[in-house]
Amino acid sequence: QVQLVESGGGVVQPGRSLGLSCAASGFTFSNYGMHWVRQAPGKGLEWVASISSDGSSKNYADSVKGRLTISRDNSKNTLYLQMNSLRADDTAVYYCVKDFGGPYDYWGQGTLVTVSS
Amino acid sequence: DIVMTQSPDSLAVSLGERATINCKSSQSLLYSSNNKNYLAWYQQKPGQPPKLLISWASTRESGVPDRFSGSGSGTDFTLTISSLQAEDVAVYYCQQYYSFVNSFGQGTKLEIK
């Protein structure tokens, strides 16, 4: 069965960096586009970034452009999110998400990132 | 960027009654070459990740009860729950994937009256 397991969340000071990982299993990872979606505490869903199946195409929300970088390693079945210059409003649960040509059919359980001094 | 606006923000419906959630996009989500609307609906229960209910505006996912249905085209879409059950209490989100920059509506909280 499809599994997406995020890791790397934690508490970080404003201005610092943090890297998230998502280990994928149960499907052919290299065939599918992937996304990061976040949810601030008590708030709605915010799409963050996407990457194509081969990693050649990436897109970002305006709110994170230039600070967050999505990448993948198809040999390791792993998706990444490198987060730099973190701000308080980056505090959220970050979900790793698989798409199947558009809609998102599988979500991880999420990892919480808290940006606080 | 495409802005998605849901209405209402919250909704209370009696058990067994119909619930209707609306979603409006700032531009058309209908792709003319394949006549498909690039719109999905998700259900999120407390402490859980969202679950895909409906894709392509009206295609119900496998295992989703048939009381859930999606309709609409272009810029106006609707999620309907024909007979509300207690387990349907959740927050519902619409999402567009027409643009490479995807986006979600703000969510609609559905409760029992």
Side-chain angles (χ1 to χ4, degrees):
Chain A
Q1 72 281 20
V2 172
Q3 282 197 308
L4 299 169
V5 180
E6 302 94 339
S7 61
V11 180
V12 60
Q13 292 179 328
R16 303 298 291 266
S17 299
L18 195 66
L20 305 183
S21 298
C22 170
S25 60
F27 66 103
T28 305
F29 182 70
S30 59
N31 285 354
Y32 294 93
M34 298 292 295
H35 304 254
W36 288 99
V37 174
R38 68 185 182 184
Q39 186 168 35
K43 302 297 183 183
L45 301 171
E46 180 186 16
W47 175 83
V48 172
S50 66
I51 187 167
S52 59
S53 59
D54 64 358
S56 62
S57 178
K58 303 176 185 180
N59 292 280
Y60 298 93
D62 286 345
S63 59
V64 308
K65 205 172 291 183
R67 300 187 302 114
L68 275 57
T69 302
I70 190 171
S71 62
R72 64 192 296 162
D73 186 335
N74 286 345
S75 69
K76 295 182 178 179
N77 291 344
T78 302
L79 178 72
Y80 302 100
L81 186 66
Q82 178 63 38
M83 301 186 293
N84 298 330
S85 303
L86 283 163
R87 311 185 305 217
D89 63 358
D90 293 317
T91 294
V93 172
Y94 285 74
Y95 293 104
C96 167
V97 184
K98 169 187 174 291
D99 87 39
F100 69 106
Y104 305 164
D105 56 349
Y106 288 96
W107 298 62
Q109 288 299 310
T111 186
L112 177 62
V113 173
T114 303
V115 183
S116 174
S117 54
Chain B
D1 293 353
I2 300 175
V3 177
M4 306 298 291
T5 304
Q6 291 180 227
S7 62
D9 290 333
S10 63
L11 180 62
V13 175
S14 300
L15 289 173
E17 295 299 305
R18 178 185 299 260
T20 302
I21 299 170
N22 300 301
C23 176
K24 189 174 185 67
S25 59
S26 60
Q27 67 183 73
S28 178
L29 305 182
L30 179 62
Y31 194 44
S32 56
S33 66
N34 60 11
N35 202 38
K36 285 188 171 186
N37 286 282
Y38 284 53
L39 186 284
W41 289 97
Y42 299 84
Q43 175 194 64
Q44 187 178 32
K45 296 182 179 180
Q48 297 182 18
K51 172 188 174 184
L52 178 63
L53 297 177
I54 304 279
S55 60
W56 309 109
S58 60
T59 301
R60 194 167 47 246
E61 296 305 301
S62 175
V64 174
D66 61 6
R67 63 180 180 273
F68 290 90
S69 63
S71 62
S73 184
T75 61
D76 293 280
F77 302 90
T78 300
L79 174 69
T80 301
I81 308 172
S82 60
S83 177
L84 189 71
Q85 304 299 304
E87 61 265 32
D88 300 335
V89 169
V91 180
Y92 293 84
Y93 295 92
C94 61
Q95 178 226 5
Q96 67 80 17
Y97 45 94
Y98 182 94
S99 165
F100 287 123
V101 177
N102 293 181
S103 53
F104 291 91
Q106 79 276 18
T108 295
K109 186 175 185 179
L110 178 58
E111 299 174 313
I112 304 295
K113 185 187 291 183

